[in-house]
Coordinates of all heavy atoms in Angstrom, one line a residue:
L227 N 2.6 -14.6 19.7 CA 3.7 -15.4 19.0 C 5.0 -14.8 19.2 O 6.1 -15.5 19.3 CB 3.3 -15.5 17.5 CG 2.1 -16.4 17.2 CD1 1.6 -16.2 15.7 CD2 2.4 -17.8 17.5
L228 N 5.1 -13.4 19.1 CA 6.4 -12.8 19.3 C 6.9 -13.0 20.7 O 8.1 -13.2 20.8 CB 6.2 -11.3 19.0 CG 6.1 -10.9 17.5 CD1 5.7 -9.4 17.4 CD2 7.4 -11.1 16.7
L229 N 6.1 -12.9 21.7 CA 6.5 -13.1 23.0 C 7.1 -14.5 23.2 O 8.1 -14.8 23.9 CB 5.4 -13.0 24.0 CG 5.0 -11.5 24.4 CD1 3.7 -11.6 25.3 CD2 6.2 -10.9 25.2
A230 N 6.5 -15.5 22.4 CA 7.0 -16.9 22.5 C 8.4 -17.0 22.0 O 9.1 -18.0 22.3 CB 6.1 -17.8 21.8
K231 N 8.8 -16.1 21.2 CA 10.2 -16.1 20.6 C 11.2 -15.5 21.5 O 12.4 -15.5 21.2 CB 10.2 -15.3 19.3 CG 9.5 -16.1 18.1 CD 9.6 -15.3 16.8 CE 9.2 -16.2 15.6 NZ 10.0 -17.4 15.4
G232 N 10.8 -14.9 22.7 CA 11.8 -14.5 23.7 C 11.8 -13.1 24.2 O 12.3 -12.9 25.3
P233 N 11.2 -12.1 23.5 CA 11.2 -10.8 24.1 C 10.5 -10.8 25.5 O 9.5 -11.5 25.7 CB 10.4 -10.0 23.1 CG 10.5 -10.7 21.8 CD 10.5 -12.2 22.2
R234 N 10.9 -9.9 26.3 CA 10.3 -9.8 27.6 C 8.9 -9.0 27.5 O 8.0 -9.2 28.3 CB 11.2 -8.9 28.6 CG 12.5 -9.6 28.8 CD 13.4 -8.9 29.6 NE 14.8 -9.4 29.5 CZ 15.9 -9.0 30.2 NH1 15.8 -7.9 30.9 NH2 17.1 -9.5 30.0
S235 N 8.7 -8.2 26.5 CA 7.5 -7.5 26.2 C 7.5 -7.1 24.8 O 8.6 -7.0 24.0 CB 7.4 -6.2 27.1 OG 8.4 -5.3 26.9
V236 N 6.3 -6.8 24.2 CA 6.1 -6.5 22.8 C 5.1 -5.4 22.7 O 4.1 -5.3 23.5 CB 5.6 -7.7 22.0 CG1 5.2 -7.3 20.6 CG2 6.6 -8.8 22.0
V237 N 5.4 -4.4 21.8 CA 4.4 -3.4 21.4 C 4.2 -3.5 19.9 O 5.1 -3.4 19.1 CB 4.9 -1.9 21.8 CG1 4.0 -0.9 21.3 CG2 5.1 -1.8 23.2
V238 N 2.9 -3.6 19.5 CA 2.5 -3.7 18.1 C 1.8 -2.4 17.8 O 0.7 -2.1 18.4 CB 1.6 -4.9 17.8 CG1 1.3 -4.9 16.3 CG2 2.2 -6.1 18.3
T239 N 2.3 -1.6 16.9 CA 1.7 -0.3 16.5 C 0.7 -0.6 15.4 O 1.0 -1.4 14.5 CB 2.7 0.7 16.1 OG1 3.5 0.2 14.9 CG2 3.8 1.0 17.2
L240 N -0.4 0.1 15.5 CA -1.5 -0.2 14.6 C -2.1 1.0 13.8 O -3.2 1.1 13.5 CB -2.7 -0.8 15.4 CG -2.3 -2.1 16.2 CD1 -3.4 -2.5 17.2 CD2 -2.0 -3.2 15.3
G241 N -1.2 2.0 13.6 CA -1.6 3.1 12.9 C -2.8 3.8 13.5 O -2.8 4.2 14.7
G242 N -3.9 4.0 12.8 CA -5.1 4.7 13.3 C -5.8 4.0 14.3 O -6.7 4.5 15.0
E243 N -5.5 2.7 14.5 CA -6.2 1.9 15.6 C -5.4 1.9 16.9 O -5.7 1.2 17.8 CB -6.4 0.5 15.1 CG -7.3 0.4 13.9 CD -7.6 -1.0 13.5 OE1 -7.1 -1.9 14.2 OE2 -8.1 -1.2 12.4
G244 N -4.3 2.7 17.0 CA -3.5 2.8 18.2 C -2.4 1.8 18.3 O -1.7 1.6 17.4
A245 N -2.3 1.1 19.4 CA -1.2 0.2 19.7 C -1.7 -0.9 20.6 O -2.7 -0.8 21.2 CB 0.0 0.9 20.2
L246 N -0.9 -2.0 20.6 CA -1.2 -3.1 21.5 C 0.1 -3.4 22.3 O 1.2 -3.5 21.7 CB -1.6 -4.3 20.7 CG -2.0 -5.6 21.4 CD1 -3.2 -6.2 20.7 CD2 -0.8 -6.5 21.5
V247 N 0.0 -3.6 23.6 CA 1.2 -4.0 24.4 C 0.9 -5.3 25.0 O -0.2 -5.7 25.3 CB 1.4 -2.9 25.6 CG1 1.6 -1.5 24.9 CG2 0.3 -2.9 26.5
A248 N 2.0 -6.1 25.0 CA 1.9 -7.5 25.5 C 3.1 -7.8 26.4 O 4.2 -7.5 26.0 CB 1.8 -8.5 24.4
S249 N 2.9 -8.5 27.5 CA 4.0 -8.9 28.3 C 3.5 -10.1 29.1 O 2.3 -10.6 28.9 CB 4.4 -7.9 29.3 OG 3.4 -7.6 30.3
A250 N 4.3 -10.6 30.1 CA 3.8 -11.7 30.9 C 2.6 -11.4 31.7 O 1.8 -12.2 32.2 CB 4.9 -12.2 31.8
D251 N 2.3 -10.1 31.9 CA 1.1 -9.7 32.6 C -0.2 -9.6 31.7 O -1.3 -9.4 32.3 CB 1.3 -8.2 33.2 CG 2.4 -8.1 34.1 OD1 2.7 -9.1 34.9 OD2 3.1 -7.1 34.2
G252 N 0.0 -9.8 30.5 CA -1.2 -9.9 29.6 C -1.1 -9.0 28.4 O 0.0 -8.4 28.1

Side-chain angles (χ1 to χ4, degrees):
L227 290 169
L228 286 168
L229 280 175
K231 287 184 172 291
R234 302 175 192 180
S235 59
V236 171
V237 175
V238 181
T239 62
L240 303 171
E243 297 181 9
L246 180 146
V247 300
S249 68
D251 296 329

